[in-house]
Amino acid sequence: MLLTGAEILVNSLIDNGVDTVFGYPGGAVLNIYDALFKKNDKIRHILTCHEQGAAHAADGYARSTGKVGVCIATSGPGATNLVTGIATAYMDSTPMVAITGNVTRPLLGKDSFQEVDITGITMPITKHNYIVKDIKDLQKIINEAFYIASSGRHGPVLIDIPKDITAEKYNYITMEPKNRKKSLQHININSLERFAQLINESENPFIYAGGGILSSNAEKEVLALAEKINAPVATSLMGIGSIPNDHRLYTGMIGMHGTKASNLLATSCDLIIALGARFSDRVISHKNHIKNAKIIQIDIDPTEINKNVKVDSYIVGDIKEVIKKLFPMINEKENIAWINKMNELKALNNKEVVKEGVLTPEYLFTLLNKMNNGNFIITTEVGQHQMWTAQNYKFYKPRTFISSCGLGTMGFGMGASIGAQMGNPKAVVFNIAGDGSFGMDCNEFATAVNFKLPVKVIVMNNNALGMVRQWQSLFYEGRYAETTLNRATDFVKLAEAFGGTGFRVEKPEELQEILEKALATDGPVIIDYKINSDDMVFPMVAPGAPINEIISKEDIKL
């Protein structure tokens, strides 16, 4: 069948199971958009307000569904506007294919109108990228891109297509997507035996669960392992949702804003079992604190082994497949004294949630937890509200917490909530935002209105760039340089101006009724939730300090 390059692209997307793309048109992708228009019965296009919003929406779609997210932008500034979203996906190992248009081949490299070297720009933040120079390669490249994005350690792939390629014609034959086999690399009897020996010898094992568990769909296997050896489980920020938060072995998040239980158990165990986790600086900020524990690691990416922390044994491979092979070699354990210690430390995690007549972050999550019927998906922006969400909201299912964890991208959540809602139309999607972060992406609320997406945005409004202000309070003697916002923005009127619904909460007794009204509203909602500028996220570990040196609210006198 003779088709244009644009038609080959769209058909290849459909062949790879794509039913939704997020993007913004422009001159270099006009042929692609014309082909999408002709196939709108099979593939829907979500027009965002900005290309960065499209990238974040593709990211949220991918994380919440497990599919590959797809975004499209034109050449030049359209392509560069995707860069932050691509970097966000790269840091958090999100499977994404970003498609950009470019000027025609004869104009490449001549500083032509709206020309940039997007493959050069994105080389460090993609698993792989392509510029299509010959239409004969187009279909193969598209299929390869989806394979690369969703195999091994997931990540973004960029395909740059000159405009004349999208107009040229070539023969198209329907192809099956390339088979994505689970990686069994480095799994052999010797490595399994060494792993099993270290686990069986351990009296105080501790599982450090990362985002790789979710990528592998290994939640059941990890939980079975934890139960078999009676090991406490702490998650990284990326690993949230990999174990139900009400499970007896779950101790909460680990790291700079981790729970006391998780941080203290990690520093008193005799074996750390790291699963799909990379020992980032926000988790292990000071290496000496784990010198008494042996460390073993399973990761699909060999470059993560011994990168940040030297380990005693490792297996490179898919976590789900490795644990299946490892499980029969592991002895059941009771670890009674260790579990008793875990329970004592977990009791320290309880937090004060209500002050008379004062709205607190914790109170918001107390009510959200009560109202959650298991159907909530939570996206966040980046800052204090992100940490309060991770600490206080109860996640029971995988792929229900979607946040920019590695890059820390302010402006991520609104786009991500759109992608999550499109991928999960029956779910209730909340975007937890700060007033600072929401100022970076509130334009995408118009996208939610346009597509009648019932996303509920809660703006934790403290009139500040809260996390930076917290650091200024603790480490800069209260010099609040450019972190007090003093903006006159009325978020209720903003919601209404975009065509949505707005509510404001100023007293604790108002919150439940307003949340109920928001849930009963068909379209998108913004809730302006007023909190104190001096509210801080605790517990906290100072940068560079061992994670067992925990700062509590009681330790601070301002």
Side-chain angles (χ1 to χ4, degrees):
M1 187 189 319
L2 201 62
L3 298 179
T4 66
E7 291 168 334
I8 290 172
L9 168 64
V10 172
N11 278 282
S12 297
L13 293 178
I14 295 168
D15 290 344
N16 279 277
V18 176
D19 57 16
T20 306
V21 297
F22 305 88
Y24 205 97
V29 289
L30 277 173
N31 295 327
I32 295 172
Y33 272 80
D34 192 53
L36 281 169
F37 185 85
K38 295 172 183 175
K39 290 283 187 178
N40 61 14
D41 59 329
K42 292 187 178 180
I43 190 166
R44 56 189 172 177
H45 178 274
I46 306 303
L47 176 64
T48 57
C49 293
H50 190 281
E51 290 90 352
Q52 184 170 321
H56 293 328
D59 192 321
Y61 179 91
R63 295 195 207 203
S64 64
T65 63
K67 301 176 183 178
V68 177
V70 180
C71 55
I72 302 175
T74 193
S75 62
T80 58
N81 282 345
L82 291 178
V83 169
T84 298
I86 293 170
T88 301
Y90 183 75
M91 286 289 282
D92 288 349
S93 304
T94 303
M96 178 194 292
V97 171
I99 298 162
T100 55
N102 213 327
V103 299
T104 60
R105 283 171 290 178
L107 293 178
L108 287 171
K110 297 182 178 179
D111 294 332
S112 305
F113 177 69
Q114 290 195 332
E115 180 201 358
V116 296
D117 177 11
I118 194 62
T119 54
I121 290 168
T122 60
M123 189 176 293
I125 55 168
T126 52
K127 279 190 74 178
H128 193 65
N129 65 24
Y130 301 87
I131 180 166
V132 183
K133 295 289 187 72
D134 192 325
I135 194 170
K136 295 176 183 177
D137 300 325
L138 178 59
Q139 188 174 4
K140 178 178 176 247
I141 285 172
I142 295 162
N143 289 336
E144 276 184 6
F146 276 85
Y147 175 79
I148 292 169
S150 58
S151 62
R153 180 175 180 170
H154 297 170
V157 178
L158 180 133
I159 308 172
D160 191 39
I161 311 176
K163 187 173 182 179
D164 54 328
I165 292 280
T166 65
E168 194 174 335
K169 290 190 175 182
Y170 190 69
N171 193 42
Y172 163 81
I173 301 172
T174 302
M175 290 184 181
E176 289 292 321
K178 191 173 179 181
N179 186 29
R180 302 174 182 104
K181 292 182 179 179
K182 294 285 189 178
S183 173
L184 301 179
Q185 184 181 6
H186 291 184
I187 301 177
N188 57 60
I189 191 65
N190 292 327
S191 59
L192 288 171
E193 284 179 348
R194 175 62 175 155
F195 237 70
Q197 178 188 357
L198 289 169
I199 293 173
N200 290 334
E201 290 174 352
S202 169
E203 296 181 0
N204 303 321
F206 177 84
I207 293 176
Y208 164 35
I213 295 169
L214 299 168
S215 297
S216 174
N217 297 315
E219 300 85 11
K220 290 181 180 178
E221 287 74 15
V222 171
L223 190 57
L225 175 64
E227 290 173 340
K228 189 170 188 178
I229 65 174
N230 251 337
V233 182
T235 64
S236 67
L237 190 63
M238 280 293 300
I240 288 175
S242 60
I243 182 169
N245 285 188
D246 59 351
H247 193 277
R248 65 180 180 85
L249 293 172
Y250 181 65
T251 61
M253 187 170 66
I254 186 173
M256 178 175 281
H257 290 292
T259 64
K260 290 182 178 180
S262 293
N263 286 7
L264 293 173
L265 288 166
T267 53
S268 56
C269 67
D270 62 9
L271 180 70
I272 295 175
I273 306 169
L275 304 175
R278 60 188 180 88
F279 293 99
S280 80
D281 57 299
R282 287 297 171 102
V283 172
I284 307 294
S285 58
H286 194 291
K287 298 174 186 177
N288 290 340
H289 80 283
I290 53 173
K291 61 185 177 183
N292 295 322
K294 286 185 169 61
I295 304 172
I296 58 179
Q297 185 177 9
I298 302 174
D299 204 288
I300 202 162
D301 184 354
T303 66
E304 290 298 341
I305 306 298
N306 292 321
K307 184 173 84 175
N308 295 324
V309 171
K310 184 172 176 56
V311 300
D312 295 277
S313 184
Y314 67 87
I315 298 175
V316 174
D318 181 84
I319 295 170
K320 189 183 188 80
E321 301 304 314
V322 172
I323 294 180
K324 282 180 182 179
K325 290 181 177 292
L326 186 66
F327 199 78
M329 306 169 72
I330 302 297
N331 300 332
E332 289 192 21
K333 292 173 174 287
E334 291 188 353
N335 301 329
I336 295 172
W338 181 233
I339 294 303
N340 287 340
K341 180 174 183 177
M342 177 195 75
N343 289 329
E344 289 174 8
L345 292 174
K346 282 176 71 172
L348 301 176
N349 292 346
N350 295 334
K351 298 173 71 68
E352 178 187 9
V353 297
V354 180
K355 294 179 182 178
E356 188 67 31
V358 178
L359 291 173
T360 64
E362 295 84 2
Y363 182 60
L364 169 64
F365 294 107
T366 297
L367 290 193
L368 282 177
N369 285 329
K370 288 179 181 178
M371 301 175 79
N372 182 13
N373 61 1
N375 198 33
F376 288 1
I377 294 175
I378 307 293
T379 68
T380 78
E381 307 291 347
V382 170
Q384 286 179 313
H385 57 278
Q386 178 190 33
M387 294 297 106
W388 282 318
T389 304
Q391 290 178 340
N392 296 288
Y393 186 79
K394 304 300 181 187
F395 293 91
Y396 302 113
K397 296 179 181 179
R399 301 189 181 279
T400 54
F401 175 67
I402 299 166
S403 190
S404 173
C405 304
L407 196 63
T409 305
M410 294 175 69
F412 170 80
M414 189 66 230
S417 69
I418 289 168
Q421 190 73 78
M422 293 300 301
N424 303 269
K426 294 182 180 179
V428 177
V429 178
F430 278 93
N431 179 36
I432 309 298
D435 49 330
S437 281
F438 194 56
M440 293 191 174
D441 68 353
C442 61
N443 56 333
E444 295 302 342
F445 192 76
T447 305
V449 171
N450 190 38
F451 288 92
K452 299 179 174 59
L453 302 177
V455 172
K456 318 304 177 189
V457 182
I458 301 177
V459 180
M460 301 185 78
N461 186 356
N462 61 1
N463 190 39
L465 302 179
M467 187 61 84
V468 186
R469 178 185 172 91
Q470 177 167 332
W471 281 47
Q472 289 172 334
S473 296
L474 298 177
F475 310 120
Y476 292 85
E477 300 177 340
R479 294 185 292 275
Y480 300 122
E482 304 305 324
T483 52
T484 302
L485 296 178
N486 282 335
R487 293 173 180 165
T489 307
D490 185 323
F491 291 111
V492 173
K493 290 181 179 178
L494 181 72
E496 293 169 350
F498 278 126
T501 304
F503 299 103
R504 182 173 289 109
V505 182
E506 296 179 297
K507 299 177 183 177
E509 57 268 25
E510 298 171 344
L511 179 58
Q512 179 154 345
E513 181 183 357
I514 287 175
L515 285 173
E516 290 171 351
K517 286 181 178 178
L519 288 170
T521 302
D522 290 335
V525 170
I526 297 175
I527 298 174
D528 183 6
Y529 186 77
K530 300 279 189 178
I531 59 173
N532 193 298
S533 296
D534 291 320
D535 283 344
M536 294 193 195
V537 182
F538 290 109
M540 179 183 181
V541 176
I547 60 170
N548 59 349
E549 293 184 6
I550 301 165
I551 303 171
S552 300
K553 186 182 297 186
E554 297 75 25
D555 301 323
I556 302 300
K557 294 179 182 178
L558 296 176

